[in-house]
Amino acid sequence: MNSFIPLSVPNLKGNELKYVTDAIESEWVSTAGRYVAEFEEKIAEYVNAKGAVSCQNGTSGLHISLLLAGITMDDAVFVPTLTFIAAVNPVKYIGASPIFMDCDDSLCMDPIKLEQYCREECVIEAGKLIDKVTHKHIKAIVIVHVFGNMADMVAIMEIATKYHLKVVEDATEAIGSYYISGRYVGKYAGTIGDFGVYSFNGNKIMTTGGGGMIISNDENCLKKAKHLTTQAKSDEVNFLHDEIGYNYRMTNIQAAIGLAQLEQLEGFIQTKEDNYLMYKSLFKNSRYKLLDVRNDIRSNRWFYALFCDDIKTRDGIIKYLSKKQIQTRPIWGLIHQQIPYVSEKAYRIEKAILYWERIVNIPCSTNLGIEEVERIVEQILNY
């Protein structure tokens, strides 16, 4: 019987064991220790940001970023519907209202519809974007860089400036992706808006088992992020706290793994690119195609999206490959259709429905070999 091919699993063949062993032998295993500060420093250096603050996961990073953006329960936030629900839930943690936007062919938020909503569905009062129907102040945009692709940040930032919106970049899938041309050439995903967030979940291109990172070029915001993620201690000796804080700290062991993973990140990205090109070549002249990324970016190619004829084909492939010991998945269920969000505003959702019906994510691990890629494609073509 053929061995099982998972969708996306960690690649832990670098210095992970060495650094974790050092953390254990030094007995700094929890939320203090040298690896946390070093990991933050190295991530900031890698993406050319002023600083980084580690946290427990991408979700906690988004929560803190929205708080730093000044979001309150009286506000509204633009969010995508085509994403993992963790990108939207932090809006609700605060009690604010999400406004769901459609995607374009990048799978990221459609800036044309975003601008249209701002222009036609809102008014500007005293420098604030106010929704005509709910009368809520729309204060921010959560942009998700889906599957390592990047949103049209030139258009997004122009809209944000014009309508006085903060931008939180959910770059949880896109560490290592950056612009190679245009206004933001050399700028990494997560470093263009007011805040950026990375995730190091077990299925990401680099992992700490579970963990996240907040990025900003505002030193005051970075200090505030560190304060809020560490229980808002104003006096660490006497355990005094000046506001509600959160236990969102990363452990030293997680950071040790992350440091070793970061050392290998560029190699991981090259492997992802090589496997993508191999998939693309093998699917040539077939009924299937892999979605590509924007031509003005270098993508980390986190996930590969196979575009099918229809929802029946999508479901059929997933079921068939499962029997062949190959793990795949559909794209996320659209968030505006989920039970907690059906009463929220959704604006002209069209393309997201199309892609939801037709995308299958196929295996993309960085330890995927040539023979495995050939086997996956062979089975899909057999179907």
Side-chain angles (χ1 to χ4, degrees):
M1 181 183 244
N2 286 321
S3 59
F4 176 69
I5 301 177
L7 179 65
S8 182
V9 292
N11 189 332
L12 303 169
K13 299 179 178 67
N15 287 316
E16 291 86 0
L17 185 59
K18 176 184 175 182
Y19 295 164
V20 169
T21 300
D22 177 63
I24 291 172
E25 289 179 346
S26 70
E27 298 184 343
W28 290 101
V29 297
S30 187
T31 54
R34 73 177 182 89
Y35 286 109
V36 174
E38 189 172 350
F39 186 38
E40 291 173 336
E41 180 183 329
K42 292 295 184 182
I43 287 287
E45 183 181 300
Y46 175 77
V47 299
N48 299 317
K50 280 193 177 177
V53 174
S54 58
C55 51
Q56 194 52 235
N57 45 50
T59 310
S60 60
L62 291 168
H63 183 200
I64 295 298
S65 296
L66 287 168
L67 290 173
L68 293 173
I71 307 303
T72 72
M73 65 175 60
D74 298 321
D75 300 324
V77 178
F78 289 120
V79 298
T81 187
L82 187 73
T83 185
F84 182 47
I85 201 167
V88 180
N89 283 343
V91 175
K92 277 296 191 180
Y93 296 170
I94 296 170
S97 299
I99 300 173
F100 289 98
M101 302 304 297
D102 201 10
C103 70
D104 59 18
D105 290 323
S106 71
L107 303 183
C108 305
M109 189 181 290
D110 183 346
I112 295 174
K113 287 183 178 177
L114 176 65
E115 203 280 333
Q116 187 173 32
Y117 190 98
C118 293
R119 185 179 69 249
E120 298 179 1
E121 307 295 324
C122 305
V123 294
I124 295 179
E125 297 178 357
K128 298 177 180 180
L129 187 67
I130 305 298
D131 192 292
K132 290 179 181 178
V133 175
T134 66
H135 306 294
K136 284 182 177 286
H137 178 191
I138 307 174
K139 200 176 280 185
I141 315 167
V142 174
I143 293 294
V144 181
H145 299 301
V146 177
F147 297 160
N149 201 356
M150 287 181 70
D152 183 349
M153 291 304 293
V154 172
I156 295 295
M157 294 306 293
E158 287 177 352
I159 292 166
T161 300
K162 182 177 180 180
Y163 293 103
H164 316 290
L165 300 164
K166 294 287 187 179
V167 176
V168 176
E169 288 182 77
D170 180 335
T172 53
E173 304 169 9
I175 189 167
S177 297
Y178 62 83
Y179 275 96
I180 57 175
S181 64
R183 182 183 303 174
Y184 294 121
V185 62
K187 285 280 193 179
Y188 282 80
T191 68
I192 300 169
D194 297 280
F195 306 97
V197 178
Y198 300 124
S199 169
F200 308 119
N201 190 34
N203 66 345
K204 296 300 193 291
I205 190 168
M206 60 172 284
T207 185
T208 60
M213 195 73 72
I214 302 165
I215 296 290
S216 177
N217 287 311
D218 185 321
E219 292 181 357
N220 290 327
C221 284
L222 290 167
K223 289 178 183 177
K224 185 72 169 180
K226 179 63 79 171
H227 186 60
L228 290 175
T229 56
T230 55
Q231 297 287 23
K233 285 183 184 177
S234 55
D235 185 330
E236 294 195 9
V237 175
N238 295 297
F239 293 94
L240 301 179
H241 308 262
D242 54 14
E243 59 185 308
I244 299 296
Y246 304 89
N247 185 14
Y248 282 170
R249 298 168 292 180
M250 177 179 282
T251 68
N252 200 42
I253 285 182
Q254 287 175 313
I257 296 170
L259 197 61
Q261 289 276 284
L262 184 59
E263 292 171 352
Q264 305 166 80
L265 179 56
E266 283 300 312
F268 290 163
I269 292 172
Q270 186 60 58
T271 298
K272 292 268 193 180
E273 178 69 17
D274 292 344
N275 284 340
Y276 171 83
L277 293 174
M278 188 183 307
Y279 269 126
K280 189 173 181 179
S281 174
L282 293 171
F283 280 122
K284 191 176 180 180
N285 301 321
S286 77
R287 64 191 285 196
Y288 305 107
K289 70 172 182 177
L290 284 185
L291 296 186
D292 210 337
V293 296
R294 298 174 56 88
N295 59 17
D296 57 354
I297 72 162
R298 191 287 294 266
S299 171
N300 72 1
R301 300 281 188 190
W302 176 56
F303 257 28
Y304 307 139
L306 184 72
F307 189 73
C308 303
D309 295 334
D310 49 41
I311 191 169
K312 183 179 178 182
T313 305
R314 181 202 75 177
D315 292 344
I317 286 175
I318 292 170
K319 186 176 180 180
Y320 178 77
L321 292 184
S322 178
K323 292 178 180 177
K324 300 296 182 180
Q325 294 295 296
I326 299 170
Q327 185 182 27
T328 60
R329 71 167 206 191
I331 206 167
W332 316 278
L334 301 181
I335 311 303
H336 79 284
Q337 296 175 342
Q338 307 276 344
I339 290 173
Y341 292 104
V342 290
S343 63
E344 303 292 348
K345 294 189 77 172
Y347 183 67
R348 296 181 55 201
I349 309 298
E350 296 156 336
K351 236 164 209 184
I353 296 171
L354 170 71
Y355 284 113
W356 171 77
E357 290 177 341
R358 300 193 182 193
I359 285 178
V360 174
N361 290 127
I362 58 178
C364 60
S365 301
T366 53
N367 43 31
L368 204 62
I370 294 173
E371 291 183 359
E372 290 173 309
V373 172
E374 290 176 339
R375 179 181 145 204
I376 293 161
V377 174
E378 179 183 15
Q379 292 301 333
I380 291 172
L381 296 181
N382 284 345
Y383 172 82

Tab-separated table of all heavy atoms in Angstrom, residues 70-115:
chain	number	residue	atom	x	y	z
A	70	GLY	N	-7.172	50.973	17.886
A	70	GLY	CA	-8.218	51.778	18.518
A	70	GLY	C	-9.626	51.276	18.290
A	70	GLY	O	-10.604	52.012	18.491
A	71	ILE	N	-9.769	50.016	17.886
A	71	ILE	CA	-11.103	49.466	17.634
A	71	ILE	C	-11.848	49.262	18.949
A	71	ILE	O	-11.297	48.728	19.911
A	71	ILE	CB	-11.005	48.123	16.873
A	71	ILE	CG1	-10.159	48.282	15.602
A	71	ILE	CG2	-12.398	47.603	16.535
A	71	ILE	CD1	-10.640	49.335	14.656
A	72	THR	N	-13.114	49.684	18.971
A	72	THR	CA	-13.974	49.504	20.134
A	72	THR	C	-15.270	48.821	19.701
A	72	THR	O	-15.509	48.614	18.507
A	72	THR	CB	-14.326	50.854	20.796
A	72	THR	OG1	-15.243	51.565	19.939
A	72	THR	CG2	-13.080	51.700	21.007
A	73	MET	N	-16.120	48.527	20.652
A	73	MET	CA	-17.386	47.852	20.342
A	73	MET	C	-18.339	48.740	19.540
A	73	MET	O	-19.320	48.251	18.993
A	73	MET	CB	-18.071	47.382	21.636
A	73	MET	CG	-18.508	48.482	22.550
A	73	MET	SD	-19.434	47.844	23.981
A	73	MET	CE	-18.221	46.768	24.722
A	74	ASP	N	-18.047	50.012	19.448
A	74	ASP	CA	-18.906	50.921	18.693
A	74	ASP	C	-18.485	51.035	17.223
A	74	ASP	O	-19.138	51.725	16.444
A	74	ASP	CB	-18.872	52.323	19.321
A	74	ASP	CG	-19.405	52.333	20.739
A	74	ASP	OD1	-20.400	51.616	20.990
A	74	ASP	OD2	-18.822	53.028	21.590
A	75	ASP	N	-17.405	50.350	16.864
A	75	ASP	CA	-16.834	50.511	15.530
A	75	ASP	C	-17.151	49.337	14.610
A	75	ASP	O	-17.668	48.302	15.037
A	75	ASP	CB	-15.311	50.655	15.630
A	75	ASP	CG	-14.899	51.854	16.466
A	75	ASP	OD1	-15.587	52.883	16.391
A	75	ASP	OD2	-13.892	51.751	17.201
A	76	ALA	N	-16.811	49.521	13.336
A	76	ALA	CA	-16.921	48.456	12.336
A	76	ALA	C	-15.562	48.291	11.650
A	76	ALA	O	-14.754	49.229	11.614
A	76	ALA	CB	-18.007	48.765	11.319
A	77	VAL	N	-15.342	47.092	11.118
A	77	VAL	CA	-14.059	46.766	10.482
A	77	VAL	C	-14.325	45.999	9.188
A	77	VAL	O	-15.111	45.043	9.183
A	77	VAL	CB	-13.181	45.909	11.423
A	77	VAL	CG1	-11.876	45.534	10.736
A	77	VAL	CG2	-12.913	46.634	12.735
A	78	PHE	N	-13.683	46.398	8.107
A	78	PHE	CA	-13.764	45.629	6.859
A	78	PHE	C	-12.942	44.347	6.997
A	78	PHE	O	-11.779	44.396	7.424
A	78	PHE	CB	-13.224	46.440	5.683
A	78	PHE	CG	-14.090	47.587	5.247
A	78	PHE	CD1	-13.608	48.885	5.284
A	78	PHE	CD2	-15.377	47.356	4.785
A	78	PHE	CE1	-14.404	49.946	4.865
A	78	PHE	CE2	-16.191	48.411	4.364
A	78	PHE	CZ	-15.697	49.709	4.408
A	79	VAL	N	-13.541	43.215	6.613
A	79	VAL	CA	-12.856	41.925	6.684
A	79	VAL	C	-13.184	41.123	5.424
A	79	VAL	O	-14.211	41.341	4.795
A	79	VAL	CB	-13.277	41.115	7.930
A	79	VAL	CG1	-12.904	41.837	9.214
A	79	VAL	CG2	-14.772	40.817	7.894
A	80	PRO	N	-12.340	40.164	5.055
A	80	PRO	CA	-12.676	39.292	3.924
A	80	PRO	C	-13.594	38.166	4.368
A	80	PRO	O	-13.577	37.767	5.540
A	80	PRO	CB	-11.308	38.737	3.506
A	80	PRO	CG	-10.513	38.748	4.769
A	80	PRO	CD	-10.999	39.898	5.590
A	81	THR	N	-14.388	37.653	3.449
A	81	THR	CA	-15.177	36.457	3.756
A	81	THR	C	-14.430	35.188	3.378
A	81	THR	O	-14.642	34.147	3.976
A	81	THR	CB	-16.546	36.492	3.048
A	81	THR	OG1	-17.339	35.385	3.511
A	81	THR	CG2	-16.414	36.402	1.530
A	82	LEU	N	-13.520	35.301	2.394
A	82	LEU	CA	-12.735	34.140	1.967
A	82	LEU	C	-11.445	34.100	2.773
A	82	LEU	O	-10.412	34.643	2.376
A	82	LEU	CB	-12.418	34.207	0.468
A	82	LEU	CG	-11.740	32.955	-0.100
A	82	LEU	CD1	-12.723	31.798	-0.199
A	82	LEU	CD2	-11.125	33.234	-1.462
A	83	THR	N	-11.513	33.466	3.932
A	83	THR	CA	-10.363	33.355	4.819
A	83	THR	C	-10.700	32.365	5.914
A	83	THR	O	-11.837	31.886	6.018
A	83	THR	CB	-9.989	34.722	5.427
A	83	THR	OG1	-8.785	34.580	6.203
A	83	THR	CG2	-11.090	35.249	6.355
A	84	PHE	N	-9.716	32.061	6.758
A	84	PHE	CA	-9.973	31.258	7.948
A	84	PHE	C	-10.644	32.148	8.984
A	84	PHE	O	-10.313	33.335	9.103
A	84	PHE	CB	-8.662	30.677	8.478
A	84	PHE	CG	-8.818	29.798	9.684
A	84	PHE	CD1	-9.779	28.811	9.733
A	84	PHE	CD2	-7.982	29.959	10.777
A	84	PHE	CE1	-9.932	27.994	10.842
A	84	PHE	CE2	-8.116	29.151	11.895
A	84	PHE	CZ	-9.097	28.171	11.927
A	85	ILE	N	-11.547	31.600	9.738
A	85	ILE	CA	-12.384	32.390	10.654
A	85	ILE	C	-11.567	33.133	11.708
A	85	ILE	O	-12.008	34.144	12.256
A	85	ILE	CB	-13.452	31.487	11.309
A	85	ILE	CG1	-14.627	32.321	11.824
A	85	ILE	CG2	-12.832	30.603	12.392
A	85	ILE	CD1	-15.848	31.495	12.194
A	86	ALA	N	-10.342	32.667	11.990
A	86	ALA	CA	-9.492	33.326	12.983
A	86	ALA	C	-9.119	34.750	12.583
A	86	ALA	O	-8.747	35.551	13.440
A	86	ALA	CB	-8.221	32.502	13.214
A	87	ALA	N	-9.226	35.072	11.300
A	87	ALA	CA	-8.944	36.441	10.865
A	87	ALA	C	-10.050	37.402	11.255
A	87	ALA	O	-9.831	38.611	11.331
A	87	ALA	CB	-8.733	36.469	9.350
A	88	VAL	N	-11.244	36.869	11.503
A	88	VAL	CA	-12.421	37.699	11.763
A	88	VAL	C	-12.827	37.679	13.239
A	88	VAL	O	-13.275	38.702	13.777
A	88	VAL	CB	-13.603	37.228	10.883
A	88	VAL	CG1	-14.847	38.064	11.137
A	88	VAL	CG2	-13.226	37.284	9.404
A	89	ASN	N	-12.648	36.554	13.896
A	89	ASN	CA	-13.087	36.435	15.289
A	89	ASN	C	-12.555	37.537	16.212
A	89	ASN	O	-13.296	38.008	17.094
A	89	ASN	CB	-12.721	35.065	15.849
A	89	ASN	CG	-13.657	33.967	15.376
A	89	ASN	OD1	-14.752	34.234	14.881
A	89	ASN	ND2	-13.236	32.724	15.516
A	90	PRO	N	-11.295	37.975	16.076
A	90	PRO	CA	-10.820	39.041	16.970
A	90	PRO	C	-11.622	40.329	16.900
A	90	PRO	O	-11.679	41.074	17.882
A	90	PRO	CB	-9.369	39.245	16.508
A	90	PRO	CG	-8.959	37.914	15.975
A	90	PRO	CD	-10.183	37.405	15.278
A	91	VAL	N	-12.248	40.599	15.756
A	91	VAL	CA	-13.133	41.766	15.662
A	91	VAL	C	-14.272	41.619	16.660
A	91	VAL	O	-14.640	42.570	17.363
A	91	VAL	CB	-13.687	41.912	14.223
A	91	VAL	CG1	-14.710	43.049	14.152
A	91	VAL	CG2	-12.555	42.149	13.231
A	92	LYS	N	-14.785	40.389	16.745
A	92	LYS	CA	-15.884	40.109	17.674
A	92	LYS	C	-15.421	40.020	19.123
A	92	LYS	O	-16.199	40.277	20.046
A	92	LYS	CB	-16.592	38.815	17.267
A	92	LYS	CG	-17.628	38.989	16.163
A	92	LYS	CD	-18.761	39.879	16.633
A	92	LYS	CE	-19.935	39.870	15.671
A	92	LYS	NZ	-21.014	40.740	16.153
A	93	TYR	N	-14.166	39.629	19.352
A	93	TYR	CA	-13.648	39.628	20.727
A	93	TYR	C	-13.823	41.020	21.337
A	93	TYR	O	-14.112	41.168	22.529
A	93	TYR	CB	-12.163	39.281	20.770
A	93	TYR	CG	-11.765	37.894	20.315
A	93	TYR	CD1	-10.428	37.570	20.122
A	93	TYR	CD2	-12.717	36.899	20.083
A	93	TYR	CE1	-10.038	36.307	19.715
A	93	TYR	CE2	-12.340	35.635	19.667
A	93	TYR	CZ	-10.998	35.343	19.479
A	93	TYR	OH	-10.606	34.092	19.067
A	94	ILE	N	-13.609	42.026	20.509
A	94	ILE	CA	-13.703	43.412	20.967
A	94	ILE	C	-15.155	43.874	21.027
A	94	ILE	O	-15.492	44.815	21.748
A	94	ILE	CB	-12.872	44.323	20.037
A	94	ILE	CG1	-11.388	43.941	20.136
A	94	ILE	CG2	-13.059	45.798	20.359
A	94	ILE	CD1	-10.502	44.603	19.098
A	95	GLY	N	-16.025	43.208	20.260
A	95	GLY	CA	-17.436	43.587	20.215
A	95	GLY	C	-17.759	44.467	19.029
A	95	GLY	O	-18.879	44.979	18.914
A	96	ALA	N	-16.778	44.667	18.136
A	96	ALA	CA	-17.005	45.475	16.937
A	96	ALA	C	-17.752	44.666	15.878
A	96	ALA	O	-17.950	43.455	16.027
A	96	ALA	CB	-15.669	45.975	16.388
A	97	SER	N	-18.144	45.339	14.809
A	97	SER	CA	-18.941	44.696	13.757
A	97	SER	C	-18.101	44.500	12.491
A	97	SER	O	-17.554	45.466	11.958
A	97	SER	CB	-20.164	45.554	13.412
A	97	SER	OG	-20.992	45.718	14.541
A	98	PRO	N	-18.021	43.269	11.983
A	98	PRO	CA	-17.329	43.056	10.712
A	98	PRO	C	-18.225	43.421	9.532
A	98	PRO	O	-19.446	43.259	9.602
A	98	PRO	CB	-17.033	41.551	10.730
A	98	PRO	CG	-18.143	40.973	11.558
A	98	PRO	CD	-18.492	42.015	12.584
A	99	ILE	N	-17.623	43.918	8.477
A	99	ILE	CA	-18.307	44.122	7.203
A	99	ILE	C	-17.571	43.262	6.189
A	99	ILE	O	-16.393	43.498	5.902
A	99	ILE	CB	-18.292	45.588	6.763
A	99	ILE	CG1	-18.986	46.472	7.804
A	99	ILE	CG2	-18.969	45.759	5.401
A	99	ILE	CD1	-18.859	47.963	7.529
A	100	PHE	N	-18.248	42.248	5.650
A	100	PHE	CA	-17.584	41.259	4.810
A	100	PHE	C	-17.461	41.737	3.367
A	100	PHE	O	-18.426	42.198	2.769
A	100	PHE	CB	-18.339	39.931	4.866
A	100	PHE	CG	-18.203	39.241	6.188
A	100	PHE	CD1	-19.195	39.345	7.151
A	100	PHE	CD2	-17.065	38.505	6.478
A	100	PHE	CE1	-19.061	38.719	8.384
A	100	PHE	CE2	-16.921	37.879	7.703
A	100	PHE	CZ	-17.915	37.990	8.658
A	101	MET	N	-16.238	41.576	2.835
A	101	MET	CA	-15.939	41.996	1.473
A	101	MET	C	-15.569	40.796	0.609
A	101	MET	O	-15.098	39.767	1.102
A	101	MET	CB	-14.781	43.003	1.470
A	101	MET	CG	-15.029	44.249	2.311
A	101	MET	SD	-16.534	45.163	1.853
A	101	MET	CE	-16.135	45.641	0.178
A	102	ASP	N	-15.781	40.953	-0.684
A	102	ASP	CA	-15.489	39.900	-1.662
A	102	ASP	C	-13.984	39.847	-1.940
A	102	ASP	O	-13.228	40.743	-1.566
A	102	ASP	CB	-16.250	40.200	-2.950
A	102	ASP	CG	-16.447	38.976	-3.838
A	102	ASP	OD1	-16.164	37.849	-3.383
A	102	ASP	OD2	-16.895	39.148	-4.984
A	103	CYS	N	-13.556	38.773	-2.622
A	103	CYS	CA	-12.173	38.653	-3.066
A	103	CYS	C	-12.090	38.978	-4.554
A	103	CYS	O	-13.109	39.048	-5.258
A	103	CYS	CB	-11.638	37.244	-2.813
A	103	CYS	SG	-12.369	35.962	-3.867
A	104	ASP	N	-10.859	39.186	-5.030
A	104	ASP	CA	-10.621	39.255	-6.467
A	104	ASP	C	-9.905	37.970	-6.876
A	104	ASP	O	-9.895	36.999	-6.122
A	104	ASP	CB	-9.836	40.527	-6.846
A	104	ASP	CG	-8.481	40.617	-6.158
A	104	ASP	OD1	-7.972	39.584	-5.656
A	104	ASP	OD2	-7.904	41.721	-6.133
A	105	ASP	N	-9.279	37.951	-8.038
A	105	ASP	CA	-8.673	36.712	-8.518
A	105	ASP	C	-7.380	36.345	-7.792
A	105	ASP	O	-6.829	35.268	-8.014
A	105	ASP	CB	-8.423	36.799	-10.026
A	105	ASP	CG	-9.718	36.766	-10.822
A	105	ASP	OD1	-10.645	36.036	-10.429
A	105	ASP	OD2	-9.812	37.490	-11.836
A	106	SER	N	-6.902	37.209	-6.927
A	106	SER	CA	-5.751	36.877	-6.082
A	106	SER	C	-6.188	36.079	-4.858
A	106	SER	O	-5.354	35.609	-4.090
A	106	SER	CB	-5.033	38.153	-5.628
A	106	SER	OG	-5.813	38.856	-4.675
A	107	LEU	N	-7.509	35.942	-4.657
A	107	LEU	CA	-8.165	35.355	-3.480
A	107	LEU	C	-8.142	36.315	-2.285
A	107	LEU	O	-8.725	36.017	-1.245
A	107	LEU	CB	-7.554	34.009	-3.064
A	107	LEU	CG	-7.546	32.903	-4.125
A	107	LEU	CD1	-6.988	31.605	-3.533
A	107	LEU	CD2	-8.940	32.660	-4.696
A	108	CYS	N	-7.489	37.469	-2.445
A	108	CYS	CA	-7.438	38.471	-1.382
A	108	CYS	C	-8.552	39.505	-1.598
A	108	CYS	O	-9.219	39.504	-2.622
A	108	CYS	CB	-6.078	39.155	-1.376
A	108	CYS	SG	-4.674	38.006	-1.255
A	109	MET	N	-8.733	40.391	-0.629
A	109	MET	CA	-9.827	41.355	-0.679
A	109	MET	C	-9.810	42.179	-1.963
A	109	MET	O	-8.758	42.641	-2.398
A	109	MET	CB	-9.780	42.278	0.540
A	109	MET	CG	-11.016	43.159	0.673
A	109	MET	SD	-10.945	44.273	2.100
A	109	MET	CE	-11.096	43.129	3.460
A	110	ASP	N	-10.981	42.370	-2.553
A	110	ASP	CA	-11.141	43.127	-3.787
A	110	ASP	C	-11.130	44.624	-3.470
A	110	ASP	O	-12.085	45.147	-2.887
A	110	ASP	CB	-12.466	42.729	-4.443
A	110	ASP	CG	-12.702	43.404	-5.789
A	110	ASP	OD1	-11.985	44.368	-6.106
A	110	ASP	OD2	-13.602	42.959	-6.523
A	111	PRO	N	-10.077	45.348	-3.862
A	111	PRO	CA	-10.025	46.779	-3.539
A	111	PRO	C	-11.041	47.605	-4.307
A	111	PRO	O	-11.431	48.686	-3.843
A	111	PRO	CB	-8.587	47.166	-3.913
A	111	PRO	CG	-8.166	46.163	-4.929
A	111	PRO	CD	-8.866	44.889	-4.567
A	112	ILE	N	-11.487	47.124	-5.463
A	112	ILE	CA	-12.480	47.874	-6.249
A	112	ILE	C	-13.804	47.934	-5.496
A	112	ILE	O	-14.418	49.003	-5.338
A	112	ILE	CB	-12.659	47.242	-7.643
A	112	ILE	CG1	-11.368	47.367	-8.449
A	112	ILE	CG2	-13.833	47.901	-8.379
A	112	ILE	CD1	-11.394	46.649	-9.782
A	113	LYS	N	-14.244	46.773	-4.996
A	113	LYS	CA	-15.495	46.749	-4.223
A	113	LYS	C	-15.331	47.456	-2.879
A	113	LYS	O	-16.273	48.088	-2.375
A	113	LYS	CB	-15.954	45.307	-4.021
A	113	LYS	CG	-16.512	44.664	-5.292
A	113	LYS	CD	-17.020	43.268	-5.031
A	113	LYS	CE	-17.614	42.661	-6.303
A	113	LYS	NZ	-18.056	41.262	-6.101
A	114	LEU	N	-14.143	47.365	-2.292
A	114	LEU	CA	-13.882	48.055	-1.034
A	114	LEU	C	-14.046	49.560	-1.206
A	114	LEU	O	-14.733	50.224	-0.411
A	114	LEU	CB	-12.469	47.719	-0.548
A	114	LEU	CG	-11.996	48.441	0.711
A	114	LEU	CD1	-12.829	48.031	1.920
A	114	LEU	CD2	-10.518	48.156	0.969
A	115	GLU	N	-13.441	50.097	-2.245
A	115	GLU	CA	-13.544	51.533	-2.500
A	115	GLU	C	-14.973	51.931	-2.830
A	115	GLU	O	-15.462	52.979	-2.391
A	115	GLU	CB	-12.613	51.914	-3.654
A	115	GLU	CG	-12.208	53.384	-3.661
A	115	GLU	CD	-13.268	54.299	-4.245
A	115	GLU	OE1	-14.066	53.840	-5.087
A	115	GLU	OE2	-13.291	55.491	-3.869
